[in-house]
């Protein structure tokens, strides 16, 4: 056996033994109870009672399976995707039962429950057994076998009845310890992979991906429609109204130019002001659609320009080695703009820090403020809009905002530099 220091990790081996024991001892009774309830509830279907109990029982099984998925990802880094068929809203017991029973994921859940009673239990318990067996063998030379009087103490195939046999048991225990140190983590990972083989499937991953794409496409369409309505409203209420007023002023000027030059001169001055204000509003509108600085100089300079317009100090640190695709730059820019606006309007912050970097094919942006905190991603909030905008590009938003602050929002968008 190759004694590699990187593979002999006592802490990881002990942790794997404890976690495996916890799964075997704590989870096995739950698996038994769930399986018994499922069998009884399904058996009651012909009597009609099962249609009332089965949805609740299968819902509990789903919750238990989701918990085991969380444990597999948290303790072993094994991600198990579970996509369940949606139950129609307002459906009655009969339809709910048929929908859940006919769901392929439900079949996988039940198959996993059955396997969890034997191979799942054994694969989870094996790391703990190795550790306990090693400890038992190593303690044999200290006289544990003497507690059995004249009868030998059987340790595996070694009858321990004296010093020599106790030393032989200790050697066997040392071998078990070596196996535990070397393979405990791998044995626990084998349990998680068995769970994944029973609970997950590539079809589920594809289904989940299609669902995510459908939701992000719907969100993108809704966002685009809302943006078009905003542009139309801004044009109608702002620049268009001013241009109409300016046209009316020019018509009046044309009528007064000969009769009342002073009045015509005053109206010309007003028309000039209206044209300047209309031009400024059009510039703001264009900046809201796609800022010229973003198109001409990229995300880095656009964020710096955005920071200069903020009414509080904003420090910008950029580490980008090139340009991003235009849609990604636009999404990132408006996400940063929304976060800075939140810091000014709602957080009561005195200072904001913005960091942009690109590494491992991912654009990462963090916006941190020293405000009052308490920000949350929820329906109706600006952060929910940011999350929808990023979702179009498979991006994610994470927010840490304890009450009292500080607030840190982190954006990640998979993309490439050009």
């Amino acid at each position: 056996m190759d004694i590699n220091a990187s593979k002999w990790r006592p802490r990881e081996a002990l942790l794997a033994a404890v976690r495996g024991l916890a799964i075997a001892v704590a989870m096995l009774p739950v698996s038994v109870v769930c399986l018994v309830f499922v069998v009884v509830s399904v058996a009651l279907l012909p009597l009609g009672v099962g249609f009332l109990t089965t949805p609740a029982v299968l819902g509990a099984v789903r919750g238990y399976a989701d918990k085991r998925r969380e444990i597999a990802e948290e303790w072993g880094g094994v991600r198990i995707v579970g996509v369940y068929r949606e139950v129609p809203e307002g459906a009655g017991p009969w339809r709910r039962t048929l929908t859940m029973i006919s769901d392929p994921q439900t079949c996988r859940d039940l198959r996993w429950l059955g396997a969890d009673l034997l191979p799942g239990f054994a694969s989870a318990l094996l790391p703990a057994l190795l550790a306990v067996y090693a400890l038992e063998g190593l303690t044999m030379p200290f006289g544990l076998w003497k507690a059995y009087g004249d009868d030998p103490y059987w340790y595996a195939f070694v009858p321990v009845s004296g010093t020599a046999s106790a030393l032989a048991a200790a050697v066997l225990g040392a071998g078990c310890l070596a196996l535990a140190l070397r393979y405990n983590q791998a044995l626990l990972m084998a349990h998680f992979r068995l769970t994944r083989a029973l609970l997950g499937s590539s079809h589920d991953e594809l289904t989940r991906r299609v669902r995510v794409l459908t939701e992000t496409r719907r969100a993108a369409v809704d966002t685009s429609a809302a943006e078009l309505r905003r542009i139309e409203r801004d044009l109608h209420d702002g620049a268009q109204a001013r241009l109409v007023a300016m046209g009316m002023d020019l018509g009046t000027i044309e009528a007064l130019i000969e009769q009342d030059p002073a009045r015509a001169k005053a109206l010309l001055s007003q028309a000039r002001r209206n044209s300047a204000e209309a031009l400024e509003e059009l510039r703001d509108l264009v900046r809201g659609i796609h800022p010229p600085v973003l198109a001409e100089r990229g995300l880095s300079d656009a964020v710096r320009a955005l920071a200069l317009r903020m009414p509080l100090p904003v420090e910008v640190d950029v580490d980008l080695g090139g340009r991003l695709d235009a849609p990604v730059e636009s999404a990132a820019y408006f996400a940063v703009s929304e976060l800075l606006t939140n810091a000014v309007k709602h957080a009561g912050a005195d200072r904001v820090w913005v960091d942009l970097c690109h590494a491992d094919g991912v654009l990462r942006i963090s916006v941190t403020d020293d405000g009052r905190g308490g920000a949350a991603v929820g329906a109706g909030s600006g952060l929910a809009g940011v999350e929808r905008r990023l979702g179009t590009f498979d991006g994610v938003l994470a927010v840490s905002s304890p009450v009292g602050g500080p607030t840190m929002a982190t954006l990640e968008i998979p993309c490439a530099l050009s």
Side-chain angles (χ1 to χ4, degrees), residues 280 282-293 309 333-334:
E280 184 62 28
L282 287 173
R283 285 173 177 169
D284 291 340
L285 186 62
V286 170
R287 190 181 298 117
I289 299 172
H290 194 77
V293 66
R309 294 200 301 270
Y333 173 84
F334 285 110

Side-chain angles (χ1 to χ4, degrees), residues 355-370:
D355 296 302
L356 297 89
C357 69
H358 186 276
D360 301 326
V362 176
L363 171 66
R364 293 182 178 86
I365 304 175
S366 65
V367 179
T368 308
D369 67 67
D370 58 358

